[in-house]
Amino acid sequence: MKIFDLIDKNTFIFDETISTKSKLFNSLTEILDEHGYLKNRKKFLKDLLKRESIVSTGIEDGFGIPHAQSKYINKPIITFAKTSKISDYKALDDSEINIVFLIALPKIAQASHLDLLSELARLLMNPDLRHDIKNAEQADEILDILSV
C-alpha cells in the first residue's frame, strides 16, 4: 500500500472553525462515515481516541498524524484536515496542530500500518513540502504536492 493510493480528496476538510481536538476527530469521523469508510462511526471514534490517549500523534510544526486500526473500518483511507490552531492538540515541538493526515486502517492491516505511518512522517520531514501544504487551500493542491 502506498500513501497516494489510499487518499480520497472527497474526505478532506478545510475548516477554520475547528479549534479543539474533539471537534477535529468528530469531523474526520463524520466525513469518513458519510463516504462509506466506516462500519460504525461511534465505535471507530472510540478506537481513534483510545489510540490518541496513549501518546499524542502530533509530530512537529503544527502537523499531526492521528491513526487507528479498527474493526469498524470498511477499507483503508488516508484523509486530510486543515483547521485553526488546536490548543489542546500539541506536537512534539509544542506547536499547536492545525494540519492533520488521518490514517485509518482495518484491524487486519498490521504490517502496512507502520509502513504508512513511517512513509508519511518521512514526507513531512521536508520543510518545503510542509510549507506548501500549509499554504494549500484546496484538495487538489494537496494531491499535487504529495504526488511529487
Side-chain angles (χ1 to χ4, degrees):
M1 266 187 264
K2 293 287 184 197
I3 289 173
F4 202 77
D5 298 333
L6 300 179
I7 292 175
D8 179 352
K9 72 177 185 174
N10 298 310
T11 63
F12 286 15
I13 297 172
F14 291 82
D15 187 346
E16 293 288 324
T17 67
I18 296 173
S19 60
T20 66
K21 187 191 285 191
S22 174
K23 175 75 171 151
L24 170 65
F25 285 8
N26 275 297
S27 296
L28 287 166
T29 302
E30 183 177 320
I31 199 157
L32 291 181
D33 192 41
E34 288 172 6
H35 285 86
Y37 286 96
L38 303 180
K39 295 175 186 175
N40 185 307
R41 178 179 160 194
K42 288 182 181 179
K43 290 182 179 179
F44 171 74
L45 179 59
K46 184 177 176 181
D47 286 347
L48 182 61
L49 294 172
K50 182 178 177 182
R51 164 56 198 92
E52 188 68 24
S53 72
I54 296 168
V55 66
S56 176
T57 54
I59 53 172
E60 67 176 3
D61 196 22
F63 282 78
I65 311 175
H67 50 280
Q69 289 183 272
S70 172
K71 64 183 180 181
Y72 304 107
I73 298 171
N74 286 321
K75 58 184 176 177
I77 176 73
I78 296 176
T79 191
F80 172 85
K82 182 177 180 184
T83 66
S84 62
K85 293 189 183 285
I86 299 176
S87 61
D88 65 340
Y89 189 12
K90 302 274 185 159
L92 295 173
D93 63 1
D94 210 34
S95 62
E96 295 176 344
I97 303 298
N98 74 311
I99 305 285
V100 165
F101 287 92
L102 169 67
I103 301 172
L105 298 173
K107 200 76 155 162
I108 59 172
Q110 297 266 334
S112 60
H113 172 251
L114 295 177
D115 293 340
L116 288 170
L117 186 57
S118 176
E119 183 181 346
L120 188 53
R122 271 195 308 276
L123 276 175
L124 295 176
M125 289 172 70
N126 179 330
D128 293 332
L129 184 121
R130 287 194 317 267
H131 176 268
D132 291 346
I133 290 171
K134 284 182 175 185
N135 290 313
E137 296 181 12
Q138 297 179 8
D140 287 329
E141 291 177 79
I142 300 297
L143 292 179
D144 287 345
I145 293 164
L146 295 175
S147 68
V148 178

